[in-house]
Amino acid sequence: MKALRIYSRGEVELFTQDAPTPSPGEILLRMLYVGFCGSDLNTYRGRNAMALDPVIPGHEIGAQVVALGGGVPSSFKVGDIVTVIPYTSCGKCPSCLNHRENACRDNETLGVQRNGAMREYICLPWQKVLPSGGLDPRLCALVEPMSVGFHAVRRAGVGPADSVMVIGCGMVGMGAIMGAYARGAKVIAADIDDEKLSEALTLGASHSVNTLSPSAHQTISDITGGDGPSVIIEAVGSVPTYRLAIQEVAFTGRVACIGYAPTDVAIPTGLIVKKELDVRGSRNAMPEDFAAVRDFLSSTSFDVAKLISKVVSPEEAPSAMKEWASDPGKVFRILVQFQ
């Protein structure tokens, strides 16, 4: 079968390997669409210290069930369209014992700490396979990154009374925007790219602000009646955006942090105390977040498919990754089609 792997020195290789056979408790999946994500781009650029070298990337998946191992529940059928929860959990660490398996101390994500799904077939435990509920397989490949945004919204306890500013309108940030919208909040999209801000206004944001504008603070203040957003979700991972979140959030507000900053961030701790802020990390997503995204995508009138920037074949994937690395800001998602 065809498979793709990334070398940290900036190479993507198409190669062949034997197709797997499902063991008891496993489902054999045929990949239909697999997304290249930001962590894959960092691996390609040699900036992902957590990734294997080399590694088969891929954890954003739209797939079809082709065979069932023994002991798989009868609710799964050959031919089902599915997506995948790509994380592992040990069941023993503090996170797992606190029923927050998404933050497992020993987590291994497909395509990062273990080889992923950028290949024609993969076997996975049935517990990690989520039926699509009729969702288009292309949109199934968007469920995982959107789930990370939905999880951050849930971590922040967003409700209808909140004003929520999402900093960063990439794929995960768009998931947070739609997640906050789905909970009835007023949503402010913040980014440095006006094109992405325009897209956000069609996907649940009611206001937008370019954070490079000299009037950004005043714009945020005007939108929120002078109080600042009650919730800010940081979905970039940079020194300026972390500082911006602490500075702009309302007194007694909540900040949910998704982005991994490349260096430690000196933040105004006095504001954390003075405002009595809740600052919460948000990692990966839980099964209920995946289900919430699936159900949202199945019912929304938003044109979420426009977040698919390009669909390429496995043979075209190396050049697509090279092009993305040269201009990363203009891409939401590249899907590799395995058919």
PDB file of all heavy atoms in Angstrom, residues 256-284:
ATOM      1  N   ALA A 256      -8.340  30.481  28.003  1.00  0.00           N
ATOM      2  CA  ALA A 256      -8.026  29.096  27.655  1.00  0.00           C
ATOM      3  C   ALA A 256      -6.883  29.098  26.652  1.00  0.00           C
ATOM      4  O   ALA A 256      -6.959  29.762  25.612  1.00  0.00           O
ATOM      5  CB  ALA A 256      -9.246  28.395  27.071  1.00  0.00           C
ATOM      6  N   CYS A 257      -5.830  28.374  26.971  1.00  0.00           N
ATOM      7  CA  CYS A 257      -4.591  28.405  26.190  1.00  0.00           C
ATOM      8  C   CYS A 257      -4.428  27.103  25.402  1.00  0.00           C
ATOM      9  O   CYS A 257      -4.270  26.031  25.994  1.00  0.00           O
ATOM     10  CB  CYS A 257      -3.397  28.590  27.111  1.00  0.00           C
ATOM     11  SG  CYS A 257      -3.523  30.023  28.208  1.00  0.00           S
ATOM     12  N   ILE A 258      -4.458  27.219  24.080  1.00  0.00           N
ATOM     13  CA  ILE A 258      -4.246  26.080  23.198  1.00  0.00           C
ATOM     14  C   ILE A 258      -2.837  26.085  22.622  1.00  0.00           C
ATOM     15  O   ILE A 258      -2.191  25.046  22.507  1.00  0.00           O
ATOM     16  CB  ILE A 258      -5.261  26.076  22.033  1.00  0.00           C
ATOM     17  CG1 ILE A 258      -6.703  26.134  22.533  1.00  0.00           C
ATOM     18  CG2 ILE A 258      -5.058  24.840  21.159  1.00  0.00           C
ATOM     19  CD1 ILE A 258      -7.721  26.282  21.416  1.00  0.00           C
ATOM     20  N   GLY A 259      -2.360  27.263  22.226  1.00  0.00           N
ATOM     21  CA  GLY A 259      -1.130  27.353  21.456  1.00  0.00           C
ATOM     22  C   GLY A 259       0.117  27.044  22.270  1.00  0.00           C
ATOM     23  O   GLY A 259       0.227  27.416  23.443  1.00  0.00           O
ATOM     24  N   TYR A 260       1.069  26.347  21.628  1.00  0.00           N
ATOM     25  CA  TYR A 260       2.385  26.101  22.217  1.00  0.00           C
ATOM     26  C   TYR A 260       3.321  27.227  21.778  1.00  0.00           C
ATOM     27  O   TYR A 260       3.690  27.305  20.607  1.00  0.00           O
ATOM     28  CB  TYR A 260       2.955  24.768  21.735  1.00  0.00           C
ATOM     29  CG  TYR A 260       2.349  23.533  22.367  1.00  0.00           C
ATOM     30  CD1 TYR A 260       1.173  22.978  21.874  1.00  0.00           C
ATOM     31  CD2 TYR A 260       2.972  22.911  23.441  1.00  0.00           C
ATOM     32  CE1 TYR A 260       0.625  21.843  22.444  1.00  0.00           C
ATOM     33  CE2 TYR A 260       2.434  21.772  24.018  1.00  0.00           C
ATOM     34  CZ  TYR A 260       1.258  21.236  23.527  1.00  0.00           C
ATOM     35  OH  TYR A 260       0.721  20.107  24.089  1.00  0.00           O
ATOM     36  N   ALA A 261       3.705  28.094  22.691  1.00  0.00           N
ATOM     37  CA  ALA A 261       4.663  29.142  22.344  1.00  0.00           C
ATOM     38  C   ALA A 261       6.063  28.529  22.243  1.00  0.00           C
ATOM     39  O   ALA A 261       6.421  27.654  23.040  1.00  0.00           O
ATOM     40  CB  ALA A 261       4.650  30.247  23.388  1.00  0.00           C
ATOM     41  N   PRO A 262       6.869  28.975  21.272  1.00  0.00           N
ATOM     42  CA  PRO A 262       8.198  28.385  21.092  1.00  0.00           C
ATOM     43  C   PRO A 262       9.168  28.724  22.205  1.00  0.00           C
ATOM     44  O   PRO A 262      10.170  28.035  22.388  1.00  0.00           O
ATOM     45  CB  PRO A 262       8.657  28.980  19.755  1.00  0.00           C
ATOM     46  CG  PRO A 262       7.889  30.255  19.614  1.00  0.00           C
ATOM     47  CD  PRO A 262       6.569  29.992  20.252  1.00  0.00           C
ATOM     48  N   THR A 263       8.892  29.758  22.964  1.00  0.00           N
ATOM     49  CA  THR A 263       9.727  30.141  24.104  1.00  0.00           C
ATOM     50  C   THR A 263       8.823  30.465  25.286  1.00  0.00           C
ATOM     51  O   THR A 263       7.615  30.660  25.132  1.00  0.00           O
ATOM     52  CB  THR A 263      10.584  31.385  23.782  1.00  0.00           C
ATOM     53  OG1 THR A 263       9.717  32.492  23.487  1.00  0.00           O
ATOM     54  CG2 THR A 263      11.497  31.126  22.586  1.00  0.00           C
ATOM     55  N   ASP A 264       9.414  30.497  26.469  1.00  0.00           N
ATOM     56  CA  ASP A 264       8.643  30.918  27.633  1.00  0.00           C
ATOM     57  C   ASP A 264       8.168  32.357  27.447  1.00  0.00           C
ATOM     58  O   ASP A 264       8.834  33.178  26.813  1.00  0.00           O
ATOM     59  CB  ASP A 264       9.498  30.826  28.897  1.00  0.00           C
ATOM     60  CG  ASP A 264       9.780  29.387  29.293  1.00  0.00           C
ATOM     61  OD1 ASP A 264       9.046  28.497  28.835  1.00  0.00           O
ATOM     62  OD2 ASP A 264      10.735  29.171  30.059  1.00  0.00           O
ATOM     63  N   VAL A 265       7.006  32.653  28.023  1.00  0.00           N
ATOM     64  CA  VAL A 265       6.379  33.954  27.844  1.00  0.00           C
ATOM     65  C   VAL A 265       6.382  34.706  29.173  1.00  0.00           C
ATOM     66  O   VAL A 265       5.890  34.184  30.192  1.00  0.00           O
ATOM     67  CB  VAL A 265       4.936  33.804  27.330  1.00  0.00           C
ATOM     68  CG1 VAL A 265       4.290  35.173  27.155  1.00  0.00           C
ATOM     69  CG2 VAL A 265       4.895  33.011  26.033  1.00  0.00           C
ATOM     70  N   ALA A 266       6.919  35.920  29.162  1.00  0.00           N
ATOM     71  CA  ALA A 266       6.830  36.788  30.333  1.00  0.00           C
ATOM     72  C   ALA A 266       5.483  37.495  30.280  1.00  0.00           C
ATOM     73  O   ALA A 266       5.240  38.339  29.413  1.00  0.00           O
ATOM     74  CB  ALA A 266       7.964  37.807  30.327  1.00  0.00           C
ATOM     75  N   ILE A 267       4.585  37.114  31.187  1.00  0.00           N
ATOM     76  CA  ILE A 267       3.244  37.688  31.169  1.00  0.00           C
ATOM     77  C   ILE A 267       3.048  38.586  32.380  1.00  0.00           C
ATOM     78  O   ILE A 267       3.709  38.419  33.407  1.00  0.00           O
ATOM     79  CB  ILE A 267       2.154  36.591  31.143  1.00  0.00           C
ATOM     80  CG1 ILE A 267       2.289  35.662  32.353  1.00  0.00           C
ATOM     81  CG2 ILE A 267       2.219  35.803  29.855  1.00  0.00           C
ATOM     82  CD1 ILE A 267       1.188  34.636  32.441  1.00  0.00           C
ATOM     83  N   PRO A 268       2.138  39.551  32.281  1.00  0.00           N
ATOM     84  CA  PRO A 268       1.899  40.479  33.402  1.00  0.00           C
ATOM     85  C   PRO A 268       1.137  39.785  34.530  1.00  0.00           C
ATOM     86  O   PRO A 268      -0.092  39.801  34.583  1.00  0.00           O
ATOM     87  CB  PRO A 268       1.087  41.606  32.757  1.00  0.00           C
ATOM     88  CG  PRO A 268       0.432  40.976  31.567  1.00  0.00           C
ATOM     89  CD  PRO A 268       1.357  39.900  31.091  1.00  0.00           C
ATOM     90  N   THR A 269       1.899  39.172  35.434  1.00  0.00           N
ATOM     91  CA  THR A 269       1.262  38.396  36.508  1.00  0.00           C
ATOM     92  C   THR A 269       0.409  39.278  37.411  1.00  0.00           C
ATOM     93  O   THR A 269      -0.555  38.792  38.017  1.00  0.00           O
ATOM     94  CB  THR A 269       2.328  37.677  37.343  1.00  0.00           C
ATOM     95  OG1 THR A 269       3.299  38.638  37.807  1.00  0.00           O
ATOM     96  CG2 THR A 269       3.040  36.621  36.522  1.00  0.00           C
ATOM     97  N   GLY A 270       0.756  40.561  37.489  1.00  0.00           N
ATOM     98  CA  GLY A 270      -0.064  41.461  38.298  1.00  0.00           C
ATOM     99  C   GLY A 270      -1.496  41.523  37.811  1.00  0.00           C
ATOM    100  O   GLY A 270      -2.434  41.628  38.616  1.00  0.00           O
ATOM    101  N   LEU A 271      -1.676  41.428  36.491  1.00  0.00           N
ATOM    102  CA  LEU A 271      -3.041  41.446  35.948  1.00  0.00           C
ATOM    103  C   LEU A 271      -3.787  40.164  36.276  1.00  0.00           C
ATOM    104  O   LEU A 271      -5.008  40.186  36.478  1.00  0.00           O
ATOM    105  CB  LEU A 271      -2.994  41.657  34.429  1.00  0.00           C
ATOM    106  CG  LEU A 271      -2.613  43.048  33.937  1.00  0.00           C
ATOM    107  CD1 LEU A 271      -2.608  43.102  32.408  1.00  0.00           C
ATOM    108  CD2 LEU A 271      -3.559  44.108  34.497  1.00  0.00           C
ATOM    109  N   ILE A 272      -3.081  39.050  36.310  1.00  0.00           N
ATOM    110  CA  ILE A 272      -3.737  37.789  36.668  1.00  0.00           C
ATOM    111  C   ILE A 272      -4.307  37.883  38.081  1.00  0.00           C
ATOM    112  O   ILE A 272      -5.432  37.445  38.346  1.00  0.00           O
ATOM    113  CB  ILE A 272      -2.749  36.615  36.554  1.00  0.00           C
ATOM    114  CG1 ILE A 272      -2.318  36.427  35.098  1.00  0.00           C
ATOM    115  CG2 ILE A 272      -3.378  35.330  37.093  1.00  0.00           C
ATOM    116  CD1 ILE A 272      -1.263  35.350  34.892  1.00  0.00           C
ATOM    117  N   VAL A 273      -3.537  38.472  38.972  1.00  0.00           N
ATOM    118  CA  VAL A 273      -3.989  38.618  40.348  1.00  0.00           C
ATOM    119  C   VAL A 273      -5.060  39.706  40.465  1.00  0.00           C
ATOM    120  O   VAL A 273      -6.128  39.498  41.048  1.00  0.00           O
ATOM    121  CB  VAL A 273      -2.794  38.937  41.273  1.00  0.00           C
ATOM    122  CG1 VAL A 273      -3.270  39.175  42.706  1.00  0.00           C
ATOM    123  CG2 VAL A 273      -1.780  37.804  41.224  1.00  0.00           C
ATOM    124  N   LYS A 274      -4.766  40.872  39.910  1.00  0.00           N
ATOM    125  CA  LYS A 274      -5.683  42.003  40.032  1.00  0.00           C
ATOM    126  C   LYS A 274      -7.053  41.697  39.437  1.00  0.00           C
ATOM    127  O   LYS A 274      -8.091  42.048  40.010  1.00  0.00           O
ATOM    128  CB  LYS A 274      -5.068  43.221  39.346  1.00  0.00           C
ATOM    129  CG  LYS A 274      -5.868  44.505  39.492  1.00  0.00           C
ATOM    130  CD  LYS A 274      -5.143  45.664  38.819  1.00  0.00           C
ATOM    131  CE  LYS A 274      -5.931  46.960  38.940  1.00  0.00           C
ATOM    132  NZ  LYS A 274      -5.236  48.095  38.271  1.00  0.00           N
ATOM    133  N   LYS A 275      -7.040  41.034  38.274  1.00  0.00           N
ATOM    134  CA  LYS A 275      -8.302  40.691  37.626  1.00  0.00           C
ATOM    135  C   LYS A 275      -8.921  39.397  38.167  1.00  0.00           C
ATOM    136  O   LYS A 275     -10.049  39.058  37.826  1.00  0.00           O
ATOM    137  CB  LYS A 275      -8.084  40.526  36.114  1.00  0.00           C
ATOM    138  CG  LYS A 275      -7.740  41.796  35.366  1.00  0.00           C
ATOM    139  CD  LYS A 275      -7.620  41.503  33.862  1.00  0.00           C
ATOM    140  CE  LYS A 275      -7.369  42.736  33.037  1.00  0.00           C
ATOM    141  NZ  LYS A 275      -7.314  42.430  31.578  1.00  0.00           N
ATOM    142  N   GLU A 276      -8.171  38.674  39.004  1.00  0.00           N
ATOM    143  CA  GLU A 276      -8.577  37.357  39.503  1.00  0.00           C
ATOM    144  C   GLU A 276      -9.006  36.454  38.342  1.00  0.00           C
ATOM    145  O   GLU A 276     -10.136  35.967  38.256  1.00  0.00           O
ATOM    146  CB  GLU A 276      -9.697  37.457  40.544  1.00  0.00           C
ATOM    147  CG  GLU A 276      -9.782  36.186  41.378  1.00  0.00           C
ATOM    148  CD  GLU A 276     -10.759  36.274  42.532  1.00  0.00           C
ATOM    149  OE1 GLU A 276     -11.877  36.816  42.327  1.00  0.00           O
ATOM    150  OE2 GLU A 276     -10.420  35.808  43.618  1.00  0.00           O
ATOM    151  N   LEU A 277      -8.054  36.245  37.445  1.00  0.00           N
ATOM    152  CA  LEU A 277      -8.330  35.492  36.228  1.00  0.00           C
ATOM    153  C   LEU A 277      -8.239  33.991  36.452  1.00  0.00           C
ATOM    154  O   LEU A 277      -7.494  33.507  37.309  1.00  0.00           O
ATOM    155  CB  LEU A 277      -7.321  35.887  35.134  1.00  0.00           C
ATOM    156  CG  LEU A 277      -7.285  37.352  34.716  1.00  0.00           C
ATOM    157  CD1 LEU A 277      -6.247  37.554  33.623  1.00  0.00           C
ATOM    158  CD2 LEU A 277      -8.662  37.815  34.242  1.00  0.00           C
ATOM    159  N   ASP A 278      -8.975  33.255  35.655  1.00  0.00           N
ATOM    160  CA  ASP A 278      -8.797  31.813  35.507  1.00  0.00           C
ATOM    161  C   ASP A 278      -8.037  31.585  34.209  1.00  0.00           C
ATOM    162  O   ASP A 278      -8.547  31.899  33.129  1.00  0.00           O
ATOM    163  CB  ASP A 278     -10.142  31.089  35.435  1.00  0.00           C
ATOM    164  CG  ASP A 278     -10.902  31.120  36.742  1.00  0.00           C
ATOM    165  OD1 ASP A 278     -10.244  31.228  37.799  1.00  0.00           O
ATOM    166  OD2 ASP A 278     -12.137  31.040  36.713  1.00  0.00           O
ATOM    167  N   VAL A 279      -6.819  31.053  34.313  1.00  0.00           N
ATOM    168  CA  VAL A 279      -6.010  30.746  33.138  1.00  0.00           C
ATOM    169  C   VAL A 279      -5.908  29.227  33.043  1.00  0.00           C
ATOM    170  O   VAL A 279      -5.380  28.578  33.949  1.00  0.00           O
ATOM    171  CB  VAL A 279      -4.607  31.386  33.231  1.00  0.00           C
ATOM    172  CG1 VAL A 279      -3.791  31.064  31.980  1.00  0.00           C
ATOM    173  CG2 VAL A 279      -4.729  32.894  33.412  1.00  0.00           C
ATOM    174  N   ARG A 280      -6.423  28.667  31.949  1.00  0.00           N
ATOM    175  CA  ARG A 280      -6.580  27.220  31.847  1.00  0.00           C
ATOM    176  C   ARG A 280      -5.896  26.687  30.582  1.00  0.00           C
ATOM    177  O   ARG A 280      -6.100  27.215  29.492  1.00  0.00           O
ATOM    178  CB  ARG A 280      -8.064  26.849  31.798  1.00  0.00           C
ATOM    179  CG  ARG A 280      -8.861  27.419  32.952  1.00  0.00           C
ATOM    180  CD  ARG A 280     -10.343  27.210  32.800  1.00  0.00           C
ATOM    181  NE  ARG A 280     -11.068  27.874  33.893  1.00  0.00           N
ATOM    182  CZ  ARG A 280     -12.385  27.870  34.025  1.00  0.00           C
ATOM    183  NH1 ARG A 280     -13.137  27.246  33.134  1.00  0.00           N
ATOM    184  NH2 ARG A 280     -12.955  28.485  35.043  1.00  0.00           N
ATOM    185  N   GLY A 281      -5.106  25.655  30.755  1.00  0.00           N
ATOM    186  CA  GLY A 281      -4.573  24.966  29.594  1.00  0.00           C
ATOM    187  C   GLY A 281      -5.656  24.148  28.924  1.00  0.00           C
ATOM    188  O   GLY A 281      -6.629  23.724  29.549  1.00  0.00           O
ATOM    189  N   SER A 282      -5.494  23.925  27.624  1.00  0.00           N
ATOM    190  CA  SER A 282      -6.457  23.123  26.862  1.00  0.00           C
ATOM    191  C   SER A 282      -5.684  22.279  25.862  1.00  0.00           C
ATOM    192  O   SER A 282      -5.039  22.821  24.955  1.00  0.00           O
ATOM    193  CB  SER A 282      -7.474  24.021  26.152  1.00  0.00           C
ATOM    194  OG  SER A 282      -8.448  23.241  25.478  1.00  0.00           O
ATOM    195  N   ARG A 283      -5.748  20.969  26.042  1.00  0.00           N
ATOM    196  CA  ARG A 283      -4.948  20.054  25.232  1.00  0.00           C
ATOM    197  C   ARG A 283      -5.833  19.031  24.542  1.00  0.00           C
ATOM    198  O   ARG A 283      -6.704  18.419  25.169  1.00  0.00           O
ATOM    199  CB  ARG A 283      -3.932  19.336  26.114  1.00  0.00           C
ATOM    200  CG  ARG A 283      -3.005  18.392  25.375  1.00  0.00           C
ATOM    201  CD  ARG A 283      -2.112  17.654  26.357  1.00  0.00           C
ATOM    202  NE  ARG A 283      -1.227  16.733  25.658  1.00  0.00           N
ATOM    203  CZ  ARG A 283      -0.507  15.803  26.256  1.00  0.00           C
ATOM    204  NH1 ARG A 283      -0.561  15.661  27.574  1.00  0.00           N
ATOM    205  NH2 ARG A 283       0.273  14.997  25.551  1.00  0.00           N
ATOM    206  N   ASN A 284      -5.610  18.836  23.256  1.00  0.00           N
ATOM    207  CA  ASN A 284      -6.318  17.800  22.493  1.00  0.00           C
ATOM    208  C   ASN A 284      -7.829  17.942  22.662  1.00  0.00           C
ATOM    209  O   ASN A 284      -8.361  19.047  22.698  1.00  0.00           O
ATOM    210  CB  ASN A 284      -5.822  16.409  22.891  1.00  0.00           C
ATOM    211  CG  ASN A 284      -4.347  16.196  22.592  1.00  0.00           C
ATOM    212  OD1 ASN A 284      -3.807  16.792  21.668  1.00  0.00           O
ATOM    213  ND2 ASN A 284      -3.698  15.353  23.367  1.00  0.00           N
TER     214      ASN A 284
END
